[in-house]
Amino acid sequence: GALRLSLLLQKYFYEGMADQDPRNPDRNFIAEKNSKRYWCHMPWLNVGESGREGVHGMTKERNLGASPTMDLYRQALPGTDWGIAYYNAAGCQTIGDVFGSRSSPKATPAFSPDLVFPDGTVSAKILFTNSKTPFFQDAYTWMANVSPIDSNVRSVQPVKHIQLDIALRDSSIIGTKEVNRHWIMLTYYYDPAYDFDAEFGRRLGMTNPLSELNLPPGLRKMRPMGVQVGFGEPSTGETRILAGAQTNSLSGRLNGPADNPKSSCLSCHGTAGTRKPMSPGFFSDEEYLAGRAGELDFSQQLGLAKRNLAKPK
């Protein structure tokens, strides 16, 4: 079930988005061009040194470093990481409830303590790096206006796509938990040796849903890492790492190569709007329930937008 869900959500995001122009990578992932389904972005992320760059609208993320747990990414060279997130129609409705619309923006955004994204919300974030790691050579590539480590001077240069994060809120899926509002986290990472048919298709008798899409080659090498439905250690069953994949987490929980190894996907996102640091984040339901005051329904981008709005003009 974890593998099938990973593949179907990957297709859900890629369809109409990653196949807009297979010959020109820079002409893909344009929300307004999607003919399959509606996607939008979070406002108020253009502020400060990490604010959106001017080519694709990516924000500066945590710097890339060598992974302590992933054999492949132990070879990763330092670089700056950049990402952009998309929300489907259900998620965009909640974002509109906070900020209003383009034609009717709210003078004061409504960051209500009762803010909840509806069932069916999907957010997807694609992350790129300017690291010169040799095995990134054939990864999906954009040109973007980004800066090096320890500098805010930006220039247009190639960046390599190494990670995809997807969050889904769906109470109908068995195994999700009411305490974290039925959020499911999934992560994918670039692996030049990933071959779905060899590893899964022939053994499990499965057809990869992505085979129906006309994707740029690098995107077919985005390996599903696994699924996370809770804060706990893998022994609790709340993280499932798929066969052939490795996690960048020191605790074995779900965590991509661009993330802090001390944390995990759900543990980090659970801190949105709270005073709890993203790393290590929350490690248990009890810790989350005790420290979630002010939380913004697992949306770190809402938390960042709120902080940016509060900055002195």
Side-chain angles (χ1 to χ4, degrees), residues 136-152:
F136 293 166
Q137 178 180 347
D138 295 326
Y140 180 77
T141 306
W142 268 358
M143 298 299 294
N145 191 34
V146 301
S147 56
I149 293 177
D150 297 328
S151 173
N152 292 321

Side-chain angles (χ1 to χ4, degrees), residues 219-235:
L219 296 183
R220 297 193 180 278
K221 296 297 184 178
M222 296 301 295
R223 176 187 287 276
M225 176 186 289
V227 177
Q228 185 180 23
V229 297
F231 303 111
E233 302 285 335
S235 60

Side-chain angles (χ1 to χ4, degrees), residues 92-276:
C92 296
Q93 181 60 56
T94 298
I95 294 172
D97 292 342
V98 174
F99 295 100
S101 65
R102 181 181 298 179
S103 60
S104 183
K106 291 185 177 180
T108 303
F111 292 98
S112 166
D114 301 321
L115 182 149
V116 177
F117 286 90
D119 241 19
T121 294
V122 174
S123 69
K125 187 175 189 179
I126 49 177
L127 291 107
F128 294 73
T129 184
N130 66 359
S131 166
K132 305 301 183 184
T133 302
F135 76 85
F136 293 166
Q137 178 180 347
D138 295 326
Y140 180 77
T141 306
W142 268 358
M143 298 299 294
N145 191 34
V146 301
S147 56
I149 293 177
D150 297 328
S151 173
N152 292 321
V153 179
R154 300 186 182 187
S155 62
V156 177
Q157 57 188 277
V159 290
K160 304 293 185 176
H161 176 40
I162 60 166
Q163 183 171 322
L164 162 65
D165 296 329
I166 296 180
L168 165 67
R169 184 175 187 267
D170 191 335
S171 60
S172 72
I173 294 182
I174 296 172
T176 62
K177 301 178 66 175
E178 185 175 358
V179 67
N180 54 265
R181 296 178 177 169
H182 303 282
W183 280 106
I184 306 168
M185 301 287 170
L186 306 95
T187 296
Y188 311 74
Y189 64 95
Y190 177 71
D191 180 351
Y194 172 56
D195 183 335
F196 173 85
D197 289 332
E199 296 184 39
F200 298 109
R202 290 192 286 270
R203 179 168 59 88
L204 301 177
M206 291 179 61
T207 298
N208 190 347
L210 299 186
S211 63
E212 303 172 18
L213 305 180
N214 185 19
L215 298 176
L219 296 183
R220 297 193 180 278
K221 296 297 184 178
M222 296 301 295
R223 176 187 287 276
M225 176 186 289
V227 177
Q228 185 180 23
V229 297
F231 303 111
E233 302 285 335
S235 60
T236 66
E238 295 177 351
T239 287
R240 173 66 58 85
I241 303 300
L242 296 169
Q246 293 182 322
T247 176
N248 187 42
S249 168
L250 293 170
S251 63
R253 298 175 298 164
L254 192 73
N255 204 48
D259 301 326
N260 192 319
K262 296 179 181 179
S263 190
S264 73
C265 298
L266 201 65
S267 298
C268 168
H269 279 266
T271 68
T274 75
R275 295 184 178 181
K276 180 76 172 178

